[in-house]
Amino acid sequence: MADIINLLSDAVANQIAAGEVIQRPASVVKELLENAVDAGASDIQLIVKDAGRTLIQVVDNGKGMSFKDARLCFERHATSKLKTADDLFRLSTKGFRGEALASIAAIAHVELRTKMAEDTTGTLVLIEGSEIKEHSLTATPDGTSIAVKNLFFNVPARRNFLKSDSVEFSNIEEEFNRVVLSHPDLAFSLYHNGKLVIQLQPTNLKKRIVNVFGTHFQDKLYPVEQSTDFINISGFIAKPENAKKKKSEQYMFVNHRYVRHPLLNYAVETAYSELIPDGYKPAYFIYLEVDPATIDINISPTKVDVKLQDERLVFGFLNSTVKKSLGQMSLTPRLDFDYEPGMDVSNVPDNLTLKQPVVTHNPDFNPFNVSSSGTRSSSVKPTMPRNAAFDTSGWSDFLASMKTETVDAAPSENLSLDLEVLHSETEEETPLADVKCLMVQQQYIVTDMSGTLYVIHIANARERILYEKFLSAIQNQPIAVQQSLFPETIELTPAKAEVLKDLKPELQKLGYELESIDATHFAVNGTPNAEDGEDVQTVIDNFLDAYKANVLNHRYEKEQNLALSMARQKCTAYKAMSEECEIIDFLKQLFDCQVNQVSPSGRKIIRQIGLAELASWFEK
Ligand code: ADP
Ligand code: MG
């Protein structure tokens, strides 16, 4: 029988390999910029035409290449960055696979001009679809210029799959951003269709971020910083009130390489989980530095996916570092916690201060010390962030349907205290008689302060108040148990009974004294509120359902889970507020909370409308 196996020619092999590395113009940009950085350049220009379809050129002032290397660099597996397989485990460069230039040359027209400082002349190489067209000496400045023209000229399928110029160019900008954010100490510029898009001088990281994303970022960033023998974490995170509903700027770098790592992203996002509504995303720019021997970058051809040796430790450490930073941040939850564009916030003074929230964290936490109990989240899995259960609609509707169960606020000691914190003005300027609270259907409290209308979602606020109360009960201020004279008995499924047995000490702190009778029955020896006839069977049953579900989702740490599961049970069964002093007391409790803008389940508590917004409702 005839032999049928052929060896593919290099050109074909390169074209196939190119499919993995070069998917779109932005992939070329990434490879060329990384090569320029690896070449030690201090000034790098990116010149693009037609979103990279016609031209992508990178000009650097790096070390350049010799006459021979200028030709060799287009061979597959041609790299100066790796000699032995062992080198793979101590990489400090961006490249190492030696296939980017070979791939690019297989699917485009490439013009390389390069010169090393010590050489008197430079080199020109022209290559088209892997075919060398010219290799000659030429006059050119020190450094390297690679121009990639007519990308995918010989791969029509790829060319046809390219998106619109605006999409492809924004992909290019994204790759550019990833590189410029990894190297704030280098100068970069980007030109598109002959126009300068951005020019970046060497600077520090914070200024680089602001230069790239705009001056409005200036006040939104808060530093993160933590180091151990194993890992250094540095960078900036956005303040919770700057979280965005849409895609946010989220950048994670490991050893100065932009990486995509769902688990690390989750470690950051969960640190915010109590501080921002569901579905909102915090911006962050986080730089991890680890021993190169402990990461594997070689798991995807584009090298954006990495594997870390001990992901759980890194997860725990990153999570606690971000939490710590959030805790230190002067969050000053402000009533202008403004997520919706168009809301008028001009009436809220900037120096308005409420109680500074303290995010629970353990400053001594060291994930590398196994005996440290801390917040090590070893059981946390990368379940994806919670759904956007947060309803922003229906504003005008509910105001329209407002019933006027007006409660006229009379002067009150408590409220005056609160007004002091709500307003930065002096007491005289905010006479208490100005404060009107309006209760809408037992669901909302509407109040007007300094011309801004605040609407408070009662159930969400109550969940927050109870959550903080229960958390502090578990942590340090147990709720008193009121002994029952005639203990009732509750019955649970065997599975729930098992869970309950484990939680008995914590439930005691929440005011429930339960005693096992047998595998499924418990005597209720005491409750937090003996006289109000609560149905303990239902409360405990539902509490255990919620608790177990959260355990399955790995969503909260144990104490948070306990407090939240109990708060959810209790916030529904509450008697109506009718007296004005009850409402005021309720608001006082809310503003005493460490966080008062968002419920622990991530729902918004307070919304506001300024005068301008109100006026705009009635414009023609
Ligand atoms: P890798 O970066 O993985 O080594 P590339 O195909 O991207 O593979 O580049 C091949 C080689 O060409 C590099 O190892 C380097 O020696 C050389 N090279 C590429 N770009 C430049 C540049 N801008 N300046 C100097 N040398 C370069
Ligand atoms: Mg490279």
PDB file of all heavy atoms in Angstrom, residues 564-586:
ATOM      1  N   LEU A 564     -26.705  36.410  58.379  1.00  0.00           N
ATOM      2  CA  LEU A 564     -27.558  36.744  57.240  1.00  0.00           C
ATOM      3  C   LEU A 564     -28.778  35.821  57.177  1.00  0.00           C
ATOM      4  O   LEU A 564     -29.905  36.269  56.954  1.00  0.00           O
ATOM      5  CB  LEU A 564     -26.751  36.645  55.942  1.00  0.00           C
ATOM      6  CG  LEU A 564     -27.525  36.947  54.671  1.00  0.00           C
ATOM      7  CD1 LEU A 564     -28.160  38.330  54.735  1.00  0.00           C
ATOM      8  CD2 LEU A 564     -26.611  36.868  53.455  1.00  0.00           C
ATOM      9  N   SER A 565     -28.548  34.530  57.388  1.00  0.00           N
ATOM     10  CA  SER A 565     -29.671  33.590  57.303  1.00  0.00           C
ATOM     11  C   SER A 565     -30.719  33.921  58.354  1.00  0.00           C
ATOM     12  O   SER A 565     -31.920  33.841  58.098  1.00  0.00           O
ATOM     13  CB  SER A 565     -29.184  32.156  57.483  1.00  0.00           C
ATOM     14  OG  SER A 565     -28.231  31.850  56.497  1.00  0.00           O
ATOM     15  N   MET A 566     -30.264  34.310  59.543  1.00  0.00           N
ATOM     16  CA  MET A 566     -31.223  34.661  60.586  1.00  0.00           C
ATOM     17  C   MET A 566     -31.899  35.991  60.248  1.00  0.00           C
ATOM     18  O   MET A 566     -33.119  36.123  60.394  1.00  0.00           O
ATOM     19  CB  MET A 566     -30.505  34.735  61.943  1.00  0.00           C
ATOM     20  CG  MET A 566     -31.435  34.856  63.125  1.00  0.00           C
ATOM     21  SD  MET A 566     -32.648  33.510  63.220  1.00  0.00           S
ATOM     22  CE  MET A 566     -31.755  32.290  64.201  1.00  0.00           C
ATOM     23  N   ALA A 567     -31.132  36.936  59.752  1.00  0.00           N
ATOM     24  CA  ALA A 567     -31.716  38.248  59.430  1.00  0.00           C
ATOM     25  C   ALA A 567     -32.812  38.091  58.373  1.00  0.00           C
ATOM     26  O   ALA A 567     -33.861  38.721  58.443  1.00  0.00           O
ATOM     27  CB  ALA A 567     -30.637  39.201  58.933  1.00  0.00           C
ATOM     28  N   ARG A 568     -32.575  37.225  57.408  1.00  0.00           N
ATOM     29  CA  ARG A 568     -33.572  37.042  56.357  1.00  0.00           C
ATOM     30  C   ARG A 568     -34.872  36.479  56.916  1.00  0.00           C
ATOM     31  O   ARG A 568     -35.951  36.837  56.483  1.00  0.00           O
ATOM     32  CB  ARG A 568     -33.034  36.091  55.291  1.00  0.00           C
ATOM     33  CG  ARG A 568     -32.038  36.768  54.422  1.00  0.00           C
ATOM     34  CD  ARG A 568     -32.125  36.216  53.002  1.00  0.00           C
ATOM     35  NE  ARG A 568     -31.039  36.780  52.216  1.00  0.00           N
ATOM     36  CZ  ARG A 568     -30.144  36.050  51.564  1.00  0.00           C
ATOM     37  NH1 ARG A 568     -30.228  34.739  51.563  1.00  0.00           N
ATOM     38  NH2 ARG A 568     -29.194  36.638  50.890  1.00  0.00           N
ATOM     39  N   GLN A 569     -34.765  35.573  57.904  1.00  0.00           N
ATOM     40  CA  GLN A 569     -35.991  35.023  58.491  1.00  0.00           C
ATOM     41  C   GLN A 569     -36.765  36.099  59.218  1.00  0.00           C
ATOM     42  O   GLN A 569     -37.976  36.177  59.154  1.00  0.00           O
ATOM     43  CB  GLN A 569     -35.677  33.921  59.518  1.00  0.00           C
ATOM     44  CG  GLN A 569     -35.038  32.703  58.940  1.00  0.00           C
ATOM     45  CD  GLN A 569     -35.472  32.507  57.516  1.00  0.00           C
ATOM     46  OE1 GLN A 569     -36.669  32.370  57.242  1.00  0.00           O
ATOM     47  NE2 GLN A 569     -34.527  32.519  56.604  1.00  0.00           N
ATOM     48  N   LYS A 570     -35.996  36.921  59.913  1.00  0.00           N
ATOM     49  CA  LYS A 570     -36.658  37.834  60.837  1.00  0.00           C
ATOM     50  C   LYS A 570     -37.144  39.104  60.168  1.00  0.00           C
ATOM     51  O   LYS A 570     -38.011  39.779  60.700  1.00  0.00           O
ATOM     52  CB  LYS A 570     -35.694  38.203  61.963  1.00  0.00           C
ATOM     53  CG  LYS A 570     -35.219  37.000  62.735  1.00  0.00           C
ATOM     54  CD  LYS A 570     -35.901  36.945  64.069  1.00  0.00           C
ATOM     55  CE  LYS A 570     -35.520  35.685  64.820  1.00  0.00           C
ATOM     56  NZ  LYS A 570     -35.778  35.826  66.239  1.00  0.00           N
ATOM     57  N   CYS A 571     -36.552  39.470  59.036  1.00  0.00           N
ATOM     58  CA  CYS A 571     -36.915  40.788  58.515  1.00  0.00           C
ATOM     59  C   CYS A 571     -38.294  40.772  57.873  1.00  0.00           C
ATOM     60  O   CYS A 571     -38.896  41.811  57.678  1.00  0.00           O
ATOM     61  CB  CYS A 571     -35.854  41.334  57.561  1.00  0.00           C
ATOM     62  SG  CYS A 571     -35.785  40.497  56.006  1.00  0.00           S
ATOM     63  N   THR A 572     -38.801  39.605  57.575  1.00  0.00           N
ATOM     64  CA  THR A 572     -40.127  39.564  56.955  1.00  0.00           C
ATOM     65  C   THR A 572     -41.227  39.688  58.009  1.00  0.00           C
ATOM     66  O   THR A 572     -42.200  40.403  57.819  1.00  0.00           O
ATOM     67  CB  THR A 572     -40.311  38.255  56.173  1.00  0.00           C
ATOM     68  OG1 THR A 572     -39.854  37.188  56.998  1.00  0.00           O
ATOM     69  CG2 THR A 572     -39.527  38.287  54.890  1.00  0.00           C
ATOM     70  N   ALA A 573     -41.036  38.973  59.112  1.00  0.00           N
ATOM     71  CA  ALA A 573     -42.088  38.983  60.119  1.00  0.00           C
ATOM     72  C   ALA A 573     -41.871  40.126  61.093  1.00  0.00           C
ATOM     73  O   ALA A 573     -41.295  39.933  62.158  1.00  0.00           O
ATOM     74  CB  ALA A 573     -42.077  37.648  60.866  1.00  0.00           C
ATOM     75  N   TYR A 574     -42.303  41.299  60.718  1.00  0.00           N
ATOM     76  CA  TYR A 574     -42.142  42.421  61.628  1.00  0.00           C
ATOM     77  C   TYR A 574     -43.447  43.171  61.744  1.00  0.00           C
ATOM     78  O   TYR A 574     -44.171  43.305  60.767  1.00  0.00           O
ATOM     79  CB  TYR A 574     -41.032  43.361  61.157  1.00  0.00           C
ATOM     80  CG  TYR A 574     -39.909  43.413  62.140  1.00  0.00           C
ATOM     81  CD1 TYR A 574     -38.942  42.408  62.169  1.00  0.00           C
ATOM     82  CD2 TYR A 574     -39.838  44.429  63.088  1.00  0.00           C
ATOM     83  CE1 TYR A 574     -37.921  42.419  63.081  1.00  0.00           C
ATOM     84  CE2 TYR A 574     -38.811  44.445  64.013  1.00  0.00           C
ATOM     85  CZ  TYR A 574     -37.862  43.442  64.012  1.00  0.00           C
ATOM     86  OH  TYR A 574     -36.852  43.458  64.927  1.00  0.00           O
ATOM     87  N   LYS A 575     -43.706  43.658  62.932  1.00  0.00           N
ATOM     88  CA  LYS A 575     -44.989  44.364  63.033  1.00  0.00           C
ATOM     89  C   LYS A 575     -44.860  45.754  62.413  1.00  0.00           C
ATOM     90  O   LYS A 575     -43.767  46.327  62.349  1.00  0.00           O
ATOM     91  CB  LYS A 575     -45.476  44.409  64.478  1.00  0.00           C
ATOM     92  CG  LYS A 575     -44.664  45.271  65.430  1.00  0.00           C
ATOM     93  CD  LYS A 575     -45.372  45.245  66.790  1.00  0.00           C
ATOM     94  CE  LYS A 575     -44.563  45.896  67.896  1.00  0.00           C
ATOM     95  NZ  LYS A 575     -44.120  47.235  67.715  1.00  0.00           N
ATOM     96  N   ALA A 576     -45.993  46.210  61.942  1.00  0.00           N
ATOM     97  CA  ALA A 576     -46.013  47.487  61.240  1.00  0.00           C
ATOM     98  C   ALA A 576     -45.542  48.620  62.144  1.00  0.00           C
ATOM     99  O   ALA A 576     -45.749  48.592  63.352  1.00  0.00           O
ATOM    100  CB  ALA A 576     -47.430  47.762  60.756  1.00  0.00           C
ATOM    101  N   MET A 577     -44.885  49.594  61.522  1.00  0.00           N
ATOM    102  CA  MET A 577     -44.509  50.791  62.275  1.00  0.00           C
ATOM    103  C   MET A 577     -45.606  51.814  62.058  1.00  0.00           C
ATOM    104  O   MET A 577     -46.032  52.045  60.929  1.00  0.00           O
ATOM    105  CB  MET A 577     -43.205  51.373  61.720  1.00  0.00           C
ATOM    106  CG  MET A 577     -41.985  50.563  62.055  1.00  0.00           C
ATOM    107  SD  MET A 577     -40.479  51.450  61.583  1.00  0.00           S
ATOM    108  CE  MET A 577     -40.316  50.969  59.879  1.00  0.00           C
ATOM    109  N   SER A 578     -46.052  52.414  63.126  1.00  0.00           N
ATOM    110  CA  SER A 578     -47.057  53.441  62.915  1.00  0.00           C
ATOM    111  C   SER A 578     -46.653  54.744  63.608  1.00  0.00           C
ATOM    112  O   SER A 578     -46.850  55.830  63.088  1.00  0.00           O
ATOM    113  CB  SER A 578     -48.417  52.964  63.418  1.00  0.00           C
ATOM    114  OG  SER A 578     -48.279  52.559  64.768  1.00  0.00           O
ATOM    115  N   GLU A 579     -46.049  54.602  64.769  1.00  0.00           N
ATOM    116  CA  GLU A 579     -45.673  55.809  65.518  1.00  0.00           C
ATOM    117  C   GLU A 579     -44.466  56.466  64.871  1.00  0.00           C
ATOM    118  O   GLU A 579     -43.540  55.785  64.425  1.00  0.00           O
ATOM    119  CB  GLU A 579     -45.309  55.428  66.959  1.00  0.00           C
ATOM    120  CG  GLU A 579     -46.439  54.803  67.746  1.00  0.00           C
ATOM    121  CD  GLU A 579     -47.591  55.774  67.954  1.00  0.00           C
ATOM    122  OE1 GLU A 579     -47.292  56.981  68.168  1.00  0.00           O
ATOM    123  OE2 GLU A 579     -48.750  55.352  67.863  1.00  0.00           O
ATOM    124  N   GLU A 580     -44.494  57.774  64.890  1.00  0.00           N
ATOM    125  CA  GLU A 580     -43.379  58.520  64.325  1.00  0.00           C
ATOM    126  C   GLU A 580     -42.069  58.183  65.034  1.00  0.00           C
ATOM    127  O   GLU A 580     -41.023  58.047  64.417  1.00  0.00           O
ATOM    128  CB  GLU A 580     -43.746  60.001  64.381  1.00  0.00           C
ATOM    129  CG  GLU A 580     -42.608  60.961  64.466  1.00  0.00           C
ATOM    130  CD  GLU A 580     -42.500  61.517  65.876  1.00  0.00           C
ATOM    131  OE1 GLU A 580     -43.545  61.657  66.547  1.00  0.00           O
ATOM    132  OE2 GLU A 580     -41.382  61.774  66.288  1.00  0.00           O
ATOM    133  N   CYS A 581     -42.161  57.948  66.366  1.00  0.00           N
ATOM    134  CA  CYS A 581     -40.911  57.664  67.074  1.00  0.00           C
ATOM    135  C   CYS A 581     -40.340  56.307  66.648  1.00  0.00           C
ATOM    136  O   CYS A 581     -39.133  56.101  66.658  1.00  0.00           O
ATOM    137  CB  CYS A 581     -41.112  57.735  68.580  1.00  0.00           C
ATOM    138  SG  CYS A 581     -42.294  56.534  69.178  1.00  0.00           S
ATOM    139  N   GLU A 582     -41.211  55.416  66.235  1.00  0.00           N
ATOM    140  CA  GLU A 582     -40.711  54.114  65.766  1.00  0.00           C
ATOM    141  C   GLU A 582     -39.918  54.284  64.472  1.00  0.00           C
ATOM    142  O   GLU A 582     -38.881  53.660  64.267  1.00  0.00           O
ATOM    143  CB  GLU A 582     -41.879  53.153  65.485  1.00  0.00           C
ATOM    144  CG  GLU A 582     -42.589  52.660  66.712  1.00  0.00           C
ATOM    145  CD  GLU A 582     -43.781  51.787  66.330  1.00  0.00           C
ATOM    146  OE1 GLU A 582     -44.658  52.240  65.573  1.00  0.00           O
ATOM    147  OE2 GLU A 582     -43.807  50.631  66.783  1.00  0.00           O
ATOM    148  N   ILE A 583     -40.456  55.129  63.613  1.00  0.00           N
ATOM    149  CA  ILE A 583     -39.780  55.345  62.332  1.00  0.00           C
ATOM    150  C   ILE A 583     -38.422  56.005  62.569  1.00  0.00           C
ATOM    151  O   ILE A 583     -37.413  55.615  61.990  1.00  0.00           O
ATOM    152  CB  ILE A 583     -40.645  56.229  61.412  1.00  0.00           C
ATOM    153  CG1 ILE A 583     -41.978  55.528  61.154  1.00  0.00           C
ATOM    154  CG2 ILE A 583     -39.927  56.500  60.098  1.00  0.00           C
ATOM    155  CD1 ILE A 583     -42.970  56.366  60.394  1.00  0.00           C
ATOM    156  N   ILE A 584     -38.450  56.983  63.456  1.00  0.00           N
ATOM    157  CA  ILE A 584     -37.203  57.686  63.727  1.00  0.00           C
ATOM    158  C   ILE A 584     -36.186  56.743  64.362  1.00  0.00           C
ATOM    159  O   ILE A 584     -35.007  56.730  63.994  1.00  0.00           O
ATOM    160  CB  ILE A 584     -37.477  58.925  64.597  1.00  0.00           C
ATOM    161  CG1 ILE A 584     -38.162  59.962  63.703  1.00  0.00           C
ATOM    162  CG2 ILE A 584     -36.195  59.476  65.196  1.00  0.00           C
ATOM    163  CD1 ILE A 584     -38.820  61.068  64.451  1.00  0.00           C
ATOM    164  N   ASP A 585     -36.667  55.917  65.267  1.00  0.00           N
ATOM    165  CA  ASP A 585     -35.765  54.962  65.890  1.00  0.00           C
ATOM    166  C   ASP A 585     -35.200  53.994  64.847  1.00  0.00           C
ATOM    167  O   ASP A 585     -34.019  53.644  64.861  1.00  0.00           O
ATOM    168  CB  ASP A 585     -36.512  54.195  66.990  1.00  0.00           C
ATOM    169  CG  ASP A 585     -35.570  53.280  67.738  1.00  0.00           C
ATOM    170  OD1 ASP A 585     -34.542  53.794  68.239  1.00  0.00           O
ATOM    171  OD2 ASP A 585     -35.815  52.056  67.780  1.00  0.00           O
ATOM    172  N   PHE A 586     -36.050  53.627  63.932  1.00  0.00           N
ATOM    173  CA  PHE A 586     -35.635  52.715  62.861  1.00  0.00           C
ATOM    174  C   PHE A 586     -34.537  53.365  62.010  1.00  0.00           C
ATOM    175  O   PHE A 586     -33.499  52.756  61.731  1.00  0.00           O
ATOM    176  CB  PHE A 586     -36.864  52.390  62.000  1.00  0.00           C
ATOM    177  CG  PHE A 586     -36.579  51.447  60.877  1.00  0.00           C
ATOM    178  CD1 PHE A 586     -36.461  50.080  61.104  1.00  0.00           C
ATOM    179  CD2 PHE A 586     -36.451  51.915  59.568  1.00  0.00           C
ATOM    180  CE1 PHE A 586     -36.216  49.202  60.053  1.00  0.00           C
ATOM    181  CE2 PHE A 586     -36.194  51.049  58.519  1.00  0.00           C
ATOM    182  CZ  PHE A 586     -36.081  49.692  58.768  1.00  0.00           C
TER     183      PHE A 586
END
